[in-house]
Amino acid sequence: MGSISPLSVPIAPPSPSVRQAIPKPIADRNVQNVVLGDILFKTWYPSFYPEELVGRDLERLYVCQRCFKYSKELMPFLAHVKSCTSQDLSLPGKKIYSGDSHTIYEVDGEENQLFTQNLSLFAKLFLDNKSVFYDVASFNYYLLVHTPSSTNGHPQLHPQIVGFFSKEKMSWDNNNLACILVFPPWQRKGFGKILMGISYELSKREGRVGGPEKPLSELGRRGYIRFWEARVANAVLGTKAKTTLTVGEIADRCWILPEDVIVALKETGGLLAKKKADGSAVVNKAKIRDWVKARGIDLTPPVSEDLFLEPREPEDVQDDGS
C-alpha cells in the first residue's frame, strides 16, 4: 500500500466556478471548514458530528477521502490516511456501473453502517434539508467514483469519490432518490447528471416510474429541471415525425413522473394550451426542437444502459401499487 501525504503541498481552494455555485453559509455552523484529502473548502451548514469529538465551533475538520472518518487534529488524521485500508479504493459494496472515467458502487447501509454514517455526516455539511444520518440501515448508497485521465504528461490521478445519492430500499412513494450531493470541489462538471441518470435507470430496472424525494432544495431543483428538460426533449425529438405525444406517454418513455414531465415541458415551452378529447395535454415538438437549438442543449444521455455490469431483467407487468 502506497503512503499518502495529503498535506505535503499547499491546500487548494475551490475554483472560481465552484465558488459561484456555493450558497451563502449560515452563521451557526459547528464546522467552519473541511479538509477532504488535500482540498480545503468552506462548509455550508451544520452537521451532527458529536460535540465531544469536534466541539461547537471547529475551524477545520479533517476527513478521509476514502472512508470519511474524521478528526479535528492533524497528526491523527495523517496517521489514519497513511494506514487507511481503503486507500487502494477497495470500497464497500459492489461495483454496478463502469464508464471510461467514472464508476458507481452500490453500498448497503445496513452492512456498512460506519462508512455510510460517516459519509452522511460529511454530506450534511452541504445539505440543508436532510436529517437521516444514523438510521442508515434502510438505505442503499450509490457512490460516484471519478478517475481523472492523465494530461500534459502528468500521471493519472487516484480515483476519487466525488458524490453520491441515497435511496430507500422500500419507498412507498416510489422515490428513486432520497438525497444527492456532488462534493463542492467537483460541482459543475456534469457529475450530478450522472447520479440522476443512474437513479432513473435503477427505477427502469425495477419497473417503477419514480422521482426524487421532495421537497427539493433550490440548488437540487435547478439541477433536476435541467436533467428533466434534456431527458424529455430527447424522448420527444426521438419520436417519428407527426407523432402526437401526451404527457403520460412521455412519462412512460422517460420513467419520469408526469408532474415532473410537465415542469420540464413548461420550461421548454413545449406544452400546448389545447388538450385532446380525453383531457390529456399535447406536446409541441417544434417548440422543443427550437428550444434545444437556441440553447445548444446536449441531449446525449449521461448514463448508458450498456455500462451496467449486470444485464437488465426482462420486463414484467408493471405493478401499479394497488
CSV table of all heavy atoms in Angstrom, one decimal, residues 190-251:
chain,number,residue,atom,x,y,z
A,190,GLY,N,-20.8,18.0,-14.5
A,190,GLY,CA,-21.7,17.0,-15.1
A,190,GLY,C,-21.9,15.8,-14.2
A,190,GLY,O,-22.6,14.9,-14.7
A,191,PHE,N,-21.3,15.8,-13.0
A,191,PHE,CA,-21.4,14.6,-12.2
A,191,PHE,C,-22.8,14.4,-11.6
A,191,PHE,O,-23.3,13.3,-11.4
A,191,PHE,CB,-20.4,14.6,-11.0
A,191,PHE,CG,-19.0,14.5,-11.5
A,191,PHE,CD1,-18.0,15.4,-11.0
A,191,PHE,CD2,-18.6,13.6,-12.4
A,191,PHE,CE1,-16.7,15.3,-11.4
A,191,PHE,CE2,-17.3,13.5,-12.8
A,191,PHE,CZ,-16.3,14.3,-12.4
A,192,GLY,N,-23.5,15.5,-11.4
A,192,GLY,CA,-24.9,15.5,-10.9
A,192,GLY,C,-25.8,14.8,-11.9
A,192,GLY,O,-26.7,13.9,-11.5
A,193,LYS,N,-25.6,15.1,-13.2
A,193,LYS,CA,-26.4,14.4,-14.2
A,193,LYS,C,-26.2,12.9,-14.2
A,193,LYS,O,-27.1,12.1,-14.5
A,193,LYS,CB,-26.1,15.0,-15.6
A,193,LYS,CG,-26.5,16.4,-15.8
A,193,LYS,CD,-26.4,16.8,-17.2
A,193,LYS,CE,-25.0,16.8,-17.7
A,193,LYS,NZ,-24.9,17.3,-19.1
A,194,ILE,N,-25.0,12.5,-14.0
A,194,ILE,CA,-24.7,11.0,-13.9
A,194,ILE,C,-25.4,10.4,-12.8
A,194,ILE,O,-26.0,9.3,-13.0
A,194,ILE,CB,-23.1,10.8,-13.8
A,194,ILE,CG1,-22.4,11.3,-15.1
A,194,ILE,CG2,-22.8,9.3,-13.6
A,194,ILE,CD1,-20.9,11.3,-15.0
A,195,LEU,N,-25.4,11.0,-11.6
A,195,LEU,CA,-26.1,10.4,-10.5
A,195,LEU,C,-27.6,10.4,-10.7
A,195,LEU,O,-28.2,9.4,-10.4
A,195,LEU,CB,-25.8,11.2,-9.2
A,195,LEU,CG,-24.3,11.1,-8.7
A,195,LEU,CD1,-24.1,12.1,-7.6
A,195,LEU,CD2,-24.1,9.7,-8.1
A,196,MET,N,-28.1,11.4,-11.2
A,196,MET,CA,-29.6,11.4,-11.5
A,196,MET,C,-29.9,10.4,-12.6
A,196,MET,O,-30.9,9.6,-12.5
A,196,MET,CB,-30.0,12.8,-12.1
A,196,MET,CG,-29.9,13.9,-11.1
A,196,MET,SD,-30.3,15.5,-11.8
A,196,MET,CE,-29.6,16.7,-10.6
A,197,GLY,N,-29.0,10.3,-13.6
A,197,GLY,CA,-29.3,9.2,-14.6
A,197,GLY,C,-29.2,7.8,-14.1
A,197,GLY,O,-30.1,7.0,-14.5
A,198,ILE,N,-28.3,7.6,-13.2
A,198,ILE,CA,-28.3,6.2,-12.5
A,198,ILE,C,-29.5,6.0,-11.8
A,198,ILE,O,-30.1,4.9,-11.8
A,198,ILE,CB,-27.0,6.1,-11.6
A,198,ILE,CG1,-25.7,6.2,-12.4
A,198,ILE,CG2,-27.1,4.9,-10.7
A,198,ILE,CD1,-25.5,4.9,-13.2
A,199,SER,N,-30.0,7.0,-11.0
A,199,SER,CA,-31.3,6.8,-10.2
A,199,SER,C,-32.5,6.4,-11.1
A,199,SER,O,-33.3,5.6,-10.7
A,199,SER,CB,-31.6,8.0,-9.4
A,199,SER,OG,-32.0,9.1,-10.2
A,200,TYR,N,-32.6,7.0,-12.3
A,200,TYR,CA,-33.7,6.7,-13.2
A,200,TYR,C,-33.5,5.4,-13.9
A,200,TYR,O,-34.5,4.7,-14.1
A,200,TYR,CB,-33.9,7.9,-14.2
A,200,TYR,CG,-34.7,9.0,-13.6
A,200,TYR,CD1,-34.1,10.1,-13.1
A,200,TYR,CD2,-36.1,8.9,-13.5
A,200,TYR,CE1,-34.8,11.2,-12.5
A,200,TYR,CE2,-36.8,10.0,-12.9
A,200,TYR,CZ,-36.2,11.1,-12.4
A,200,TYR,OH,-36.9,12.1,-11.9
A,201,GLU,N,-32.3,5.0,-14.2
A,201,GLU,CA,-32.0,3.7,-14.8
A,201,GLU,C,-32.4,2.6,-13.8
A,201,GLU,O,-32.9,1.5,-14.1
A,201,GLU,CB,-30.6,3.6,-15.2
A,201,GLU,CG,-30.3,4.4,-16.5
A,201,GLU,CD,-31.1,3.9,-17.7
A,201,GLU,OE1,-31.4,2.7,-17.8
A,201,GLU,OE2,-31.6,4.8,-18.5
A,202,LEU,N,-32.1,2.9,-12.5
A,202,LEU,CA,-32.5,1.9,-11.5
A,202,LEU,C,-34.0,1.8,-11.4
A,202,LEU,O,-34.5,0.7,-11.2
A,202,LEU,CB,-31.9,2.3,-10.1
A,202,LEU,CG,-30.3,2.2,-10.0
A,202,LEU,CD1,-29.9,2.7,-8.7
A,202,LEU,CD2,-29.8,0.8,-10.2
A,203,SER,N,-34.7,2.9,-11.5
A,203,SER,CA,-36.2,2.8,-11.5
A,203,SER,C,-36.6,2.0,-12.7
A,203,SER,O,-37.6,1.2,-12.5
A,203,SER,CB,-36.7,4.3,-11.6
A,203,SER,OG,-36.6,5.0,-10.4
A,204,LYS,N,-36.0,2.2,-13.8
A,204,LYS,CA,-36.4,1.5,-15.0
A,204,LYS,C,-36.2,0.0,-14.8
A,204,LYS,O,-37.0,-0.8,-15.2
A,204,LYS,CB,-35.6,2.0,-16.2
A,204,LYS,CG,-35.9,1.4,-17.5
A,204,LYS,CD,-35.1,2.1,-18.6
A,204,LYS,CE,-35.3,1.5,-20.0
A,204,LYS,NZ,-34.5,2.2,-21.0
A,205,ARG,N,-35.1,-0.4,-14.2
A,205,ARG,CA,-34.8,-1.8,-13.9
A,205,ARG,C,-35.8,-2.4,-12.9
A,205,ARG,O,-36.1,-3.6,-13.0
A,205,ARG,CB,-33.4,-1.9,-13.4
A,205,ARG,CG,-32.3,-1.7,-14.5
A,205,ARG,CD,-30.9,-1.6,-14.0
A,205,ARG,NE,-30.0,-1.7,-15.1
A,205,ARG,CZ,-29.2,-2.8,-15.3
A,205,ARG,NH1,-29.2,-3.8,-14.4
A,205,ARG,NH2,-28.4,-2.9,-16.3
A,206,GLU,N,-36.3,-1.6,-12.0
A,206,GLU,CA,-37.3,-2.0,-11.1
A,206,GLU,C,-38.7,-2.0,-11.6
A,206,GLU,O,-39.6,-2.5,-11.0
A,206,GLU,CB,-37.2,-1.2,-9.8
A,206,GLU,CG,-35.9,-1.3,-9.1
A,206,GLU,CD,-35.8,-0.2,-8.0
A,206,GLU,OE1,-36.7,0.7,-7.9
A,206,GLU,OE2,-34.7,-0.2,-7.3
A,207,GLY,N,-38.9,-1.4,-12.8
A,207,GLY,CA,-40.2,-1.3,-13.4
A,207,GLY,C,-41.1,-0.3,-12.7
A,207,GLY,O,-42.4,-0.5,-12.8
A,208,ARG,N,-40.6,0.7,-12.1
A,208,ARG,CA,-41.4,1.7,-11.4
A,208,ARG,C,-41.0,3.1,-11.8
A,208,ARG,O,-39.9,3.5,-11.8
A,208,ARG,CB,-41.2,1.6,-9.9
A,208,ARG,CG,-41.7,0.3,-9.3
A,208,ARG,CD,-41.4,0.2,-7.8
A,208,ARG,NE,-41.9,-1.0,-7.2
A,208,ARG,CZ,-43.2,-1.2,-6.8
A,208,ARG,NH1,-44.1,-0.2,-6.9
A,208,ARG,NH2,-43.6,-2.3,-6.3
A,209,VAL,N,-42.0,3.9,-12.3
A,209,VAL,CA,-41.8,5.3,-12.6
A,209,VAL,C,-41.7,6.0,-11.2
A,209,VAL,O,-42.5,5.9,-10.3
A,209,VAL,CB,-43.0,5.9,-13.3
A,209,VAL,CG1,-42.8,7.4,-13.6
A,209,VAL,CG2,-43.2,5.2,-14.7
A,210,GLY,N,-40.6,6.8,-11.1
A,210,GLY,CA,-40.3,7.4,-9.8
A,210,GLY,C,-39.7,8.8,-10.0
A,210,GLY,O,-39.5,9.3,-11.1
A,211,GLY,N,-39.2,9.3,-8.9
A,211,GLY,CA,-38.5,10.6,-8.9
A,211,GLY,C,-37.9,10.8,-7.5
A,211,GLY,O,-38.0,10.0,-6.6
A,212,PRO,N,-37.2,12.0,-7.4
A,212,PRO,CA,-36.5,12.3,-6.1
A,212,PRO,C,-37.5,12.6,-5.0
A,212,PRO,O,-38.6,13.1,-5.3
A,212,PRO,CB,-35.7,13.5,-6.5
A,212,PRO,CG,-36.4,14.2,-7.6
A,212,PRO,CD,-37.0,13.0,-8.4
A,213,GLU,N,-37.1,12.3,-3.8
A,213,GLU,CA,-37.9,12.7,-2.6
A,213,GLU,C,-38.0,14.2,-2.6
A,213,GLU,O,-37.1,15.0,-2.9
A,213,GLU,CB,-37.2,12.2,-1.4
A,213,GLU,CG,-37.9,12.5,-0.1
A,213,GLU,CD,-37.1,12.0,1.1
A,213,GLU,OE1,-36.9,10.8,1.2
A,213,GLU,OE2,-36.8,12.8,2.0
A,214,LYS,N,-39.2,14.7,-2.3
A,214,LYS,CA,-39.5,16.2,-2.3
A,214,LYS,C,-39.9,16.6,-0.9
A,214,LYS,O,-40.4,15.8,-0.1
A,214,LYS,CB,-40.5,16.5,-3.3
A,214,LYS,CG,-40.0,16.2,-4.8
A,214,LYS,CD,-41.1,16.3,-5.8
A,214,LYS,CE,-40.6,15.9,-7.2
A,214,LYS,NZ,-41.7,15.8,-8.2
A,215,PRO,N,-39.7,17.9,-0.5
A,215,PRO,CA,-39.3,19.0,-1.4
A,215,PRO,C,-37.8,18.9,-1.7
A,215,PRO,O,-37.0,18.4,-0.9
A,215,PRO,CB,-39.7,20.2,-0.6
A,215,PRO,CG,-39.6,19.8,0.8
A,215,PRO,CD,-40.0,18.3,0.8
A,216,LEU,N,-37.4,19.4,-2.8
A,216,LEU,CA,-36.0,19.6,-3.2
A,216,LEU,C,-35.5,20.9,-2.7
A,216,LEU,O,-36.2,21.9,-2.6
A,216,LEU,CB,-35.9,19.5,-4.7
A,216,LEU,CG,-36.2,18.2,-5.4
A,216,LEU,CD1,-36.4,18.4,-6.9
A,216,LEU,CD2,-35.2,17.1,-5.1
A,217,SER,N,-34.2,21.0,-2.5
A,217,SER,CA,-33.6,22.3,-2.2
A,217,SER,C,-33.6,23.1,-3.5
A,217,SER,O,-33.8,22.5,-4.6
A,217,SER,CB,-32.1,22.1,-1.7
A,217,SER,OG,-31.3,21.5,-2.8
A,218,GLU,N,-33.4,24.4,-3.4
A,218,GLU,CA,-33.4,25.2,-4.5
A,218,GLU,C,-32.3,24.8,-5.5
A,218,GLU,O,-32.5,24.7,-6.7
A,218,GLU,CB,-33.2,26.7,-4.2
A,218,GLU,CG,-33.2,27.7,-5.3
A,218,GLU,CD,-34.5,27.6,-6.1
A,218,GLU,OE1,-35.6,27.3,-5.5
A,218,GLU,OE2,-34.5,27.8,-7.4
A,219,LEU,N,-31.1,24.5,-5.0
A,219,LEU,CA,-30.0,24.0,-5.8
A,219,LEU,C,-30.3,22.7,-6.5
A,219,LEU,O,-30.1,22.5,-7.7
A,219,LEU,CB,-28.7,23.9,-5.0
A,219,LEU,CG,-27.4,23.8,-5.7
A,219,LEU,CD1,-27.1,25.0,-6.5
A,219,LEU,CD2,-26.2,23.5,-4.7
A,220,GLY,N,-30.9,21.8,-5.7
A,220,GLY,CA,-31.3,20.5,-6.3
A,220,GLY,C,-32.4,20.6,-7.3
A,220,GLY,O,-32.4,19.9,-8.3
A,221,ARG,N,-33.4,21.5,-7.1
A,221,ARG,CA,-34.5,21.7,-8.0
A,221,ARG,C,-33.9,22.2,-9.4
A,221,ARG,O,-34.4,21.8,-10.4
A,221,ARG,CB,-35.5,22.7,-7.5
A,221,ARG,CG,-36.7,22.9,-8.3
A,221,ARG,CD,-37.8,23.8,-7.7
A,221,ARG,NE,-38.9,23.9,-8.5
A,221,ARG,CZ,-39.1,24.8,-9.5
A,221,ARG,NH1,-38.1,25.6,-9.8
A,221,ARG,NH2,-40.2,24.8,-10.2
A,222,ARG,N,-33.0,23.2,-9.3
A,222,ARG,CA,-32.5,23.7,-10.6
A,222,ARG,C,-31.8,22.6,-11.4
A,222,ARG,O,-31.9,22.5,-12.6
A,222,ARG,CB,-31.5,24.8,-10.3
A,222,ARG,CG,-32.2,26.1,-9.8
A,222,ARG,CD,-31.3,27.3,-10.0
A,222,ARG,NE,-30.0,27.2,-9.4
A,222,ARG,CZ,-29.7,27.7,-8.2
A,222,ARG,NH1,-30.6,28.3,-7.5
A,222,ARG,NH2,-28.5,27.5,-7.7
A,223,GLY,N,-31.0,21.7,-10.6
A,223,GLY,CA,-30.3,20.6,-11.3
A,223,GLY,C,-31.3,19.6,-11.9
A,223,GLY,O,-31.0,19.1,-13.0
A,224,TYR,N,-32.3,19.3,-11.2
A,224,TYR,CA,-33.3,18.3,-11.7
A,224,TYR,C,-34.1,18.9,-12.9
A,224,TYR,O,-34.3,18.1,-13.8
A,224,TYR,CB,-34.3,17.9,-10.6
A,224,TYR,CG,-33.8,16.6,-10.0
A,224,TYR,CD1,-33.1,16.6,-8.8
A,224,TYR,CD2,-34.1,15.4,-10.6
A,224,TYR,CE1,-32.7,15.4,-8.2
A,224,TYR,CE2,-33.7,14.2,-10.1
A,224,TYR,CZ,-33.0,14.2,-8.9
A,224,TYR,OH,-32.6,13.0,-8.3
A,225,ILE,N,-34.4,20.2,-12.9
A,225,ILE,CA,-35.1,20.7,-14.0
A,225,ILE,C,-34.3,20.6,-15.3
A,225,ILE,O,-34.8,20.2,-16.3
A,225,ILE,CB,-35.5,22.2,-13.7
A,225,ILE,CG1,-36.7,22.2,-12.7
A,225,ILE,CG2,-36.0,22.9,-15.0
A,225,ILE,CD1,-37.1,23.6,-12.3
A,226,ARG,N,-33.0,20.9,-15.2
A,226,ARG,CA,-32.1,20.8,-16.3
A,226,ARG,C,-32.0,19.3,-16.8
A,226,ARG,O,-32.0,19.0,-18.0
A,226,ARG,CB,-30.7,21.3,-16.0
A,226,ARG,CG,-30.6,22.8,-15.8
A,226,ARG,CD,-29.2,23.3,-15.8
A,226,ARG,NE,-28.5,22.8,-14.6
A,226,ARG,CZ,-28.4,23.4,-13.5
A,226,ARG,NH1,-29.0,24.6,-13.3
A,226,ARG,NH2,-27.7,22.9,-12.4
A,227,PHE,N,-32.0,18.4,-15.8
A,227,PHE,CA,-31.9,17.0,-16.2
A,227,PHE,C,-33.2,16.6,-16.9
A,227,PHE,O,-33.2,15.9,-17.9
A,227,PHE,CB,-31.7,16.1,-15.0
A,227,PHE,CG,-31.7,14.7,-15.2
A,227,PHE,CD1,-30.6,14.0,-15.7
A,227,PHE,CD2,-32.9,13.9,-15.0
A,227,PHE,CE1,-30.6,12.6,-15.9
A,227,PHE,CE2,-32.9,12.5,-15.2
A,227,PHE,CZ,-31.7,11.9,-15.7
A,228,TRP,N,-34.4,16.9,-16.3
A,228,TRP,CA,-35.7,16.6,-16.9
A,228,TRP,C,-35.9,17.2,-18.3
A,228,TRP,O,-36.4,16.5,-19.2
A,228,TRP,CB,-36.8,17.0,-16.0
A,228,TRP,CG,-36.9,16.3,-14.7
A,228,TRP,CD1,-36.5,15.0,-14.4
A,228,TRP,CD2,-37.4,16.8,-13.4
A,228,TRP,NE1,-36.7,14.7,-13.1
A,228,TRP,CE2,-37.3,15.8,-12.4
A,228,TRP,CE3,-37.9,18.1,-13.0
A,228,TRP,CZ2,-37.7,16.0,-11.1
A,228,TRP,CZ3,-38.3,18.2,-11.7
A,228,TRP,CH2,-38.2,17.2,-10.8
A,229,GLU,N,-35.5,18.4,-18.4
A,229,GLU,CA,-35.6,19.1,-19.7
A,229,GLU,C,-34.9,18.3,-20.8
A,229,GLU,O,-35.5,18.0,-21.9
A,229,GLU,CB,-35.0,20.5,-19.7
A,229,GLU,CG,-35.8,21.5,-18.9
A,229,GLU,CD,-35.0,22.8,-18.7
A,229,GLU,OE1,-33.8,22.8,-18.9
A,229,GLU,OE2,-35.6,23.8,-18.3
A,230,ALA,N,-33.6,17.9,-20.6
A,230,ALA,CA,-32.9,17.2,-21.6
A,230,ALA,C,-33.4,15.8,-21.8
A,230,ALA,O,-33.5,15.3,-23.0
A,230,ALA,CB,-31.4,17.1,-21.1
A,231,ARG,N,-33.9,15.1,-20.8
A,231,ARG,CA,-34.4,13.7,-20.9
A,231,ARG,C,-35.7,13.8,-21.7
A,231,ARG,O,-36.0,12.9,-22.6
A,231,ARG,CB,-34.6,13.1,-19.5
A,231,ARG,CG,-34.8,11.6,-19.6
A,231,ARG,CD,-34.8,11.1,-18.1
A,231,ARG,NE,-35.1,9.7,-18.0
A,231,ARG,CZ,-34.2,8.7,-18.0
A,231,ARG,NH1,-32.9,9.0,-18.0
A,231,ARG,NH2,-34.5,7.4,-17.8
A,232,VAL,N,-36.6,14.7,-21.3
A,232,VAL,CA,-37.9,14.8,-22.0
A,232,VAL,C,-37.7,15.2,-23.5
A,232,VAL,O,-38.3,14.7,-24.4
A,232,VAL,CB,-38.8,15.8,-21.3
A,232,VAL,CG1,-40.0,16.2,-22.1
A,232,VAL,CG2,-39.2,15.2,-20.0
A,233,ALA,N,-36.8,16.2,-23.7
A,233,ALA,CA,-36.6,16.7,-25.1
A,233,ALA,C,-36.0,15.5,-25.9
A,233,ALA,O,-36.4,15.4,-27.1
A,233,ALA,CB,-35.6,17.9,-25.1
A,234,ASN,N,-35.1,14.7,-25.4
A,234,ASN,CA,-34.5,13.6,-26.1
A,234,ASN,C,-35.6,12.6,-26.5
A,234,ASN,O,-35.6,12.1,-27.6
A,234,ASN,CB,-33.5,12.9,-25.2
A,234,ASN,CG,-32.7,11.9,-26.0
A,234,ASN,OD1,-32.3,12.1,-27.1
A,234,ASN,ND2,-32.5,10.8,-25.4
A,235,ALA,N,-36.6,12.4,-25.6
A,235,ALA,CA,-37.6,11.4,-25.8
A,235,ALA,C,-38.6,11.9,-26.9
A,235,ALA,O,-39.0,11.2,-27.8
A,235,ALA,CB,-38.4,11.1,-24.5
A,236,VAL,N,-38.9,13.2,-26.8
A,236,VAL,CA,-39.9,13.8,-27.7
A,236,VAL,C,-39.3,13.9,-29.1
A,236,VAL,O,-39.9,13.5,-30.1
A,236,VAL,CB,-40.3,15.2,-27.3
A,236,VAL,CG1,-41.1,15.9,-28.3
A,236,VAL,CG2,-41.1,15.1,-26.0
A,237,LEU,N,-38.1,14.4,-29.2
A,237,LEU,CA,-37.5,14.6,-30.6
A,237,LEU,C,-37.0,13.2,-31.2
A,237,LEU,O,-36.7,13.2,-32.4
A,237,LEU,CB,-36.3,15.5,-30.5
A,237,LEU,CG,-36.6,16.9,-30.0
A,237,LEU,CD1,-35.4,17.8,-29.9
A,237,LEU,CD2,-37.7,17.5,-30.8
A,238,GLY,N,-37.0,12.2,-30.4
A,238,GLY,CA,-36.6,10.9,-30.9
A,238,GLY,C,-37.8,10.1,-31.5
A,238,GLY,O,-37.6,9.0,-32.0
A,239,THR,N,-39.0,10.7,-31.4
A,239,THR,CA,-40.2,10.0,-32.0
A,239,THR,C,-40.3,10.3,-33.5
A,239,THR,O,-39.7,11.3,-34.0
A,239,THR,CB,-41.5,10.4,-31.3
A,239,THR,OG1,-41.6,11.9,-31.4
A,239,THR,CG2,-41.4,10.1,-29.8
A,240,LYS,N,-41.1,9.5,-34.2
A,240,LYS,CA,-41.3,9.7,-35.6
A,240,LYS,C,-42.1,11.0,-35.8
A,240,LYS,O,-42.8,11.6,-35.0
A,240,LYS,CB,-42.2,8.6,-36.2
A,240,LYS,CG,-41.5,7.2,-36.1
A,240,LYS,CD,-42.3,6.1,-36.7
A,240,LYS,CE,-41.7,4.8,-36.6
A,240,LYS,NZ,-42.5,3.7,-37.1
A,241,ALA,N,-41.8,11.6,-37.0
A,241,ALA,CA,-42.5,12.8,-37.4
A,241,ALA,C,-44.0,12.7,-37.4
A,241,ALA,O,-44.5,11.6,-37.6
A,241,ALA,CB,-42.0,13.2,-38.8
A,242,LYS,N,-44.7,13.8,-37.0
A,242,LYS,CA,-46.1,13.9,-36.9
A,242,LYS,C,-46.7,13.0,-35.8
A,242,LYS,O,-47.9,12.7,-35.9
A,242,LYS,CB,-46.7,13.6,-38.3
A,242,LYS,CG,-46.3,14.6,-39.3
A,242,LYS,CD,-47.1,14.3,-40.7
A,242,LYS,CE,-46.6,15.3,-41.7
A,242,LYS,NZ,-47.3,15.1,-43.0
A,243,THR,N,-45.9,12.5,-34.9
A,243,THR,CA,-46.4,11.7,-33.8
A,243,THR,C,-46.9,12.6,-32.7
A,243,THR,O,-46.2,13.5,-32.3
A,243,THR,CB,-45.3,10.7,-33.3
A,243,THR,OG1,-44.9,9.8,-34.3
A,243,THR,CG2,-45.9,9.9,-32.1
A,244,THR,N,-48.1,12.4,-32.3
A,244,THR,CA,-48.6,13.2,-31.2
A,244,THR,C,-48.4,12.5,-29.9
A,244,THR,O,-48.7,11.3,-29.7
A,244,THR,CB,-50.2,13.4,-31.4
A,244,THR,OG1,-50.4,14.1,-32.6
A,244,THR,CG2,-50.7,14.3,-30.2
A,245,LEU,N,-47.7,13.2,-29.0
A,245,LEU,CA,-47.4,12.7,-27.7
A,245,LEU,C,-48.2,13.4,-26.6
A,245,LEU,O,-48.4,14.6,-26.6
A,245,LEU,CB,-45.9,12.8,-27.4
A,245,LEU,CG,-44.9,11.9,-28.2
A,245,LEU,CD1,-43.5,12.3,-27.9
A,245,LEU,CD2,-45.1,10.5,-27.9
A,246,THR,N,-48.6,12.6,-25.6
A,246,THR,CA,-49.2,13.2,-24.4
A,246,THR,C,-48.1,13.1,-23.2
A,246,THR,O,-47.1,12.5,-23.3
A,246,THR,CB,-50.4,12.4,-24.0
A,246,THR,OG1,-50.0,11.1,-23.6
A,246,THR,CG2,-51.4,12.3,-25.1
A,247,VAL,N,-48.5,13.9,-22.2
A,247,VAL,CA,-47.6,13.9,-21.0
A,247,VAL,C,-47.4,12.4,-20.5
A,247,VAL,O,-46.3,12.0,-20.1
A,247,VAL,CB,-48.2,14.8,-19.9
A,247,VAL,CG1,-47.4,14.6,-18.6
A,247,VAL,CG2,-48.0,16.2,-20.4
A,248,GLY,N,-48.5,11.7,-20.4
A,248,GLY,CA,-48.4,10.3,-19.9
A,248,GLY,C,-47.5,9.4,-20.7
A,248,GLY,O,-46.8,8.6,-20.2
A,249,GLU,N,-47.6,9.6,-22.0
A,249,GLU,CA,-46.7,8.8,-22.9
A,249,GLU,C,-45.2,9.1,-22.7
A,249,GLU,O,-44.4,8.3,-22.7
A,249,GLU,CB,-47.1,9.0,-24.4
A,249,GLU,CG,-48.5,8.3,-24.7
A,249,GLU,CD,-49.1,8.8,-26.0
A,249,GLU,OE1,-48.6,9.9,-26.5
A,249,GLU,OE2,-49.9,8.1,-26.5
A,250,ILE,N,-45.0,10.4,-22.5
A,250,ILE,CA,-43.6,10.8,-22.3
A,250,ILE,C,-43.1,10.3,-21.0
A,250,ILE,O,-42.0,9.8,-20.8
A,250,ILE,CB,-43.5,12.4,-22.3
A,250,ILE,CG1,-43.8,12.9,-23.7
A,250,ILE,CG2,-42.1,12.8,-21.9
A,250,ILE,CD1,-43.9,14.4,-23.8
A,251,ALA,N,-43.9,10.3,-19.9
A,251,ALA,CA,-43.6,9.8,-18.6
A,251,ALA,C,-43.2,8.3,-18.7
A,251,ALA,O,-42.3,7.9,-18.1
A,251,ALA,CB,-44.7,10.0,-17.6
